[in-house]
Amino acid sequence: MRAPATERPLTAGPTEGPEDPFPLRLSGPVIKGFGRGSKELQIPTANIPIDGLRVGGCETVESGVYYGYAGLDIPATTDDDESPAATATATATTATDSKVFPMVMSIGWNPFYKNSVRSVEVHIIHTFSKDFYGVRMNLVILGFIRPEFDYVSKEALIEDIKMDIRVGEKSLQREGYRKYRNDPYLTNFEC
Ligand SMILES: Cc1cc2nc3c(=O)[nH]c(=O)nc-3n(C[C@H](O)[C@H](O)[C@H](O)COP(=O)(O)O)c2cc1C
Ligand SMILES: Nc1ncnc2c1ncn2[C@@H]1O[C@H](COP(=O)(O)OP(=O)(O)O)[C@@H](O)[C@H]1O
Ligand SMILES: [Mg+2]
């Protein structure tokens, strides 16, 4: 069982850019989970159905924690980040920018909670003022951070997820990863 404050590297995946099987692309509507993300952990996760989670059409995706970008089919005007920095730069933000966000995500059984169903959950690195259940979410997954663990305490789980967020942000800032923010898949909500 994993204890808090385990020493961890600040980035994940090769410096040059994503390596096979990444980038992985998947999509689905945001559905209800167990309601623990916001309430118990104060880290909300937008869950999508596990159906169709395949690499190359047959192999299933390994359970674990990943990073990449999420595109949300929300009108640009409902993207109401309340931070002063975001307000200051609002006029410079295009409609596409405001629908695409960095994310970290977990695929698996949530061993700490011993779930009996496998879930796909995305924490979007952005502050939203309201929920977006039912909205279509497109994902471009660019790298693997770590396997899922069981934890000695809820605090230890929270600490590791916070570190995942830092690792995800730092990993995406690299040259070979930044460009995927403009991947057309993220904002194609037509099919
Ligand atoms: C980046 C990230 C890493 C996670 N890592 C683990 C983990 O190692 N073990 C685990 O049991 N749950 C992990 N979770 C899942 C949380 O336990 C989960 O988000 C929480 O139970 C909320 O579930 P809900 O959406 O059904 O409310 C992780 C979630 C995120 C976003
Ligand atoms: N930054 C965010 N990342 C992911 N979801 C968010 C975020 N901010 C608000 N939400 C909303 O919170 C919901 C997830 O909260 P959570 O407590 O994990 O509930 P559930 O168990 O139903 O997934 C998402 O479906 C979304 O509507
Ligand atoms: Mg959730």
Side-chain angles (χ1 to χ4, degrees):
M1 214 176 289
R2 194 150 155 114
T6 313
E7 191 111 328
R8 295 179 47 187
L10 276 173
T11 54
T15 311
E16 318 78 61
E19 71 180 344
D20 193 51
F22 306 106
L24 288 174
R25 295 179 175 85
L26 90 129
S27 171
V30 175
I31 56 170
K32 284 266 177 196
F34 293 98
R36 296 175 186 134
S38 324
K39 289 205 186 78
E40 282 189 33
L41 307 178
Q42 277 82 52
I43 304 170
T45 55
N47 300 32
I48 59 170
I50 189 105
D51 337 348
L53 189 64
R54 295 264 184 276
V55 185
C58 64
E59 245 179 277
T60 165
V61 178
E62 188 186 339
S63 289
V65 179
Y66 297 83
Y67 64 90
Y69 288 107
L72 281 180
D73 191 11
I74 46 171
T77 47
T78 67
D79 167 35
D80 35 7
D81 185 322
E82 288 157 340
S83 73
T87 309
T89 57
T91 48
T93 306
T94 67
T96 303
D97 285 341
S98 65
K99 291 170 186 244
V100 176
F101 308 94
M103 62 84 182
V104 286
M105 64 186 286
S106 145
I107 299 174
W109 302 90
N110 295 359
F112 181 70
Y113 289 106
K114 303 187 175 37
N115 287 358
S116 58
V117 287
R118 198 165 177 242
S119 65
V120 179
E121 309 177 24
V122 177
H123 174 69
I124 297 179
I125 307 174
H126 184 82
T127 305
F128 296 89
S129 65
K130 43 183 181 282
D131 289 346
F132 42 87
Y133 287 106
V135 163
R136 165 91 170 268
M137 181 165 64
N138 296 340
L139 303 174
V140 173
I141 308 172
L142 297 173
F144 179 84
I145 300 183
R146 64 173 175 89
E148 283 195 301
F149 296 114
D150 194 358
Y151 288 86
V152 293
S153 65
K154 185 177 80 177
E155 290 66 34
L157 169 64
I158 292 171
E159 196 174 318
D160 245 4
I161 298 179
K162 286 188 173 161
M163 187 62 194
D164 295 328
I165 294 169
R166 287 199 286 276
V167 171
E169 281 181 315
K170 199 114 188 100
S171 298
L172 289 170
Q173 280 162 9
R174 297 173 296 181
E175 184 74 39
Y177 293 81
R178 268 204 304 263
K179 59 183 177 198
Y180 287 93
R181 193 175 186 124
N182 299 318
D183 190 308
Y185 180 84
L186 288 165
T187 48
N188 179 5
F189 304 111
E190 300 306 312
C191 56

